[in-house]
Amino acid sequence: MAISREDVERVALLARLELDEAQVAELTPQLAEIVAYVDQLAEVDTEGVEPMAHAVELTNVLRPDAVRPGLSHEAALANAPRHDHTGFRVPAVLDE
């Protein structure tokens, strides 16, 4: 696929880049090389290859989730500097 000057200007517009004439002239062959490389990758035979999300297989190193009892209402409020026996008391944030 041939990359034209207009293609580079369109990509620059989409990327919100301001390119001067020299930059457009420099980037046109570079973008053409990138597209040629991607075209080369498209020629690789992938028949029978499973799609994958990562290049290497990952294993979750976290512990499994387990349901355990939480704090009681009284224990949660025990160390609160201010509470009203139903919840934490905090300074008002919004003035009415």
Side-chain angles (χ1 to χ4, degrees):
M1 173 180 181
I3 300 297
S4 68
R5 173 181 200 80
E6 291 76 27
D7 293 329
V8 173
E9 290 171 347
R10 174 78 175 143
V11 170
L13 176 69
L14 293 172
R16 306 290 193 258
L17 299 174
E18 286 186 32
L19 302 177
D20 60 31
E21 294 299 317
Q23 290 172 318
V24 171
E26 180 182 355
L27 291 173
T28 301
Q30 291 177 2
L31 189 57
E33 286 180 32
I34 293 169
V35 171
Y37 180 70
V38 171
D39 285 342
Q40 188 179 13
L41 288 175
E43 295 173 7
V44 175
D45 180 22
T46 58
E47 187 68 33
V49 177
E50 289 288 323
M52 50 203 281
H54 298 282
V56 294
E57 191 167 331
L58 300 175
T59 304
N60 191 355
V61 295
L62 302 175
R63 64 172 169 73
D65 288 338
V67 178
R68 296 187 303 193
L71 291 174
S72 68
H73 191 78
E74 293 77 23
L77 294 175
N79 290 322
R82 292 178 44 204
H83 61 85
D84 61 5
H85 300 292
T86 61
F88 298 101
R89 300 285 315 249
V90 295
V93 177
L94 302 174
D95 291 326
E96 292 184 28

